[in-house]
Amino acid sequence: MGVLKKYYGTVVSDHYKEYYSFDNFDNAECNVHISRYLKSVIENTKRPGAKKLYDFLYDIKKEVESTTENKLSDERYEEVKSKWLSILDEWDKEFEEVTKGKTLKYFDEERRLKNRLRAFADNHLMFAKESLVPFDNNLAERGIRHIKTKLKVIGGFRKIGRA
């Protein structure tokens, strides 16, 4: 429809790679989706690094919500980003110890998640740097829920004669 070509601002999504091809807006990542992925890793692998990152993410959220500007100072943001990356470094070490000598295909999801969290750290932490960027994209998903429900109903078939 061409809407994204005309949009300027920030789009919060669940890592839609196509959005990164546009240069007229910034991309932020939905942290609720990331939380689900982290919970899955925590439950399935019991990695302390994943748990530490999950807890740190929500600590940052609380800190941002407690500020009057609804964002962190530039200095504090850099500290948070540095800590984010150091937690990922710890998780990398845990991952290497556990996967040493094992088939890596069994650990693909976790490896991809770690790489994504590192490569897109600024996009995941944008809510802490920009006051207008939300932590999640729940508002957008709630807005489209009614339309999706109607589409499901429209696709249904009924008998002509009812008993």
Side-chain angles (χ1 to χ4, degrees), residues 17 20 23 34 42-43 46 52 56 65 67 73 76-77 81 89 95 100 109 117 119 125 128 136 143 150 158:
K17 287 275 195 171
Y20 286 91
D23 58 356
I34 283 301
I42 293 164
E43 290 171 3
K46 310 287 189 259
K52 191 172 181 180
F56 183 64
E65 290 171 348
T67 64
S73 68
R76 179 65 183 135
Y77 174 78
K81 184 180 173 186
D89 289 340
F95 183 78
K100 194 178 289 184
E109 274 187 45
L117 291 169
L125 297 173
D136 55 35
K150 287 291 184 191
R158 297 173 193 249

Side-chain angles (χ1 to χ4, degrees), residues 7-162:
Y7 181 76
Y8 293 92
T10 304
V11 172
V12 181
S13 69
D14 184 27
H15 198 67
Y16 294 125
K17 287 275 195 171
E18 296 83 22
Y19 289 179
Y20 286 91
S21 65
F22 292 92
D23 58 356
N24 53 314
F25 57 80
D26 292 325
N27 290 283
E29 299 279 334
C30 175
N31 289 301
V32 171
H33 285 92
I34 283 301
S35 298
R36 287 187 209 127
Y37 302 142
L38 284 170
K39 277 184 184 177
S40 173
V41 169
I42 293 164
E43 290 171 3
N44 294 326
T45 66
K46 310 287 189 259
R47 295 263 193 280
K51 174 74 171 123
K52 191 172 181 180
L53 193 69
Y54 178 88
D55 293 340
F56 183 64
L57 180 63
Y58 279 93
D59 289 344
I60 299 166
K61 181 179 188 274
K62 286 178 192 169
E63 184 178 344
V64 168
E65 290 171 348
S66 70
T67 64
T68 55
E69 302 87 24
N70 204 34
K71 67 178 189 172
L72 303 178
S73 68
D74 290 341
E75 297 82 23
R76 179 65 183 135
Y77 174 78
E78 290 303 323
E79 291 172 8
V80 163
K81 184 180 173 186
S82 177
K83 173 100 185 220
W84 176 274
L85 295 173
S86 71
I87 293 171
L88 281 169
D89 289 340
E90 291 174 27
W91 187 4
D92 281 339
K93 289 176 186 171
E94 294 169 12
F95 183 78
E96 286 174 21
E97 288 175 14
V98 170
T99 60
K100 194 178 289 184
K102 295 183 181 174
T103 307
L104 288 180
K105 72 178 183 178
Y106 298 115
F107 302 95
D108 263 356
E109 274 187 45
E110 182 180 0
R111 182 186 50 77
R112 283 194 304 262
L113 177 61
K114 288 186 317 91
N115 292 342
R116 173 180 164 186
L117 291 169
R118 183 179 305 284
F120 295 93
D122 285 319
N123 303 83
H124 286 288
L125 297 173
M126 193 177 291
F127 76 95
K129 191 175 188 177
E130 304 291 332
S131 61
L132 295 177
V133 176
F135 180 77
D136 55 35
N137 67 348
N138 288 348
L139 188 60
E141 290 186 1
R142 261 181 293 191
I144 201 166
R145 188 174 298 140
H146 181 69
I147 296 166
K148 287 298 222 179
T149 304
K150 287 291 184 191
L151 285 173
K152 288 179 184 177
V153 171
I154 289 170
F157 294 99
R158 297 173 193 249
K159 293 181 182 178
I160 294 175
R162 293 185 118 175

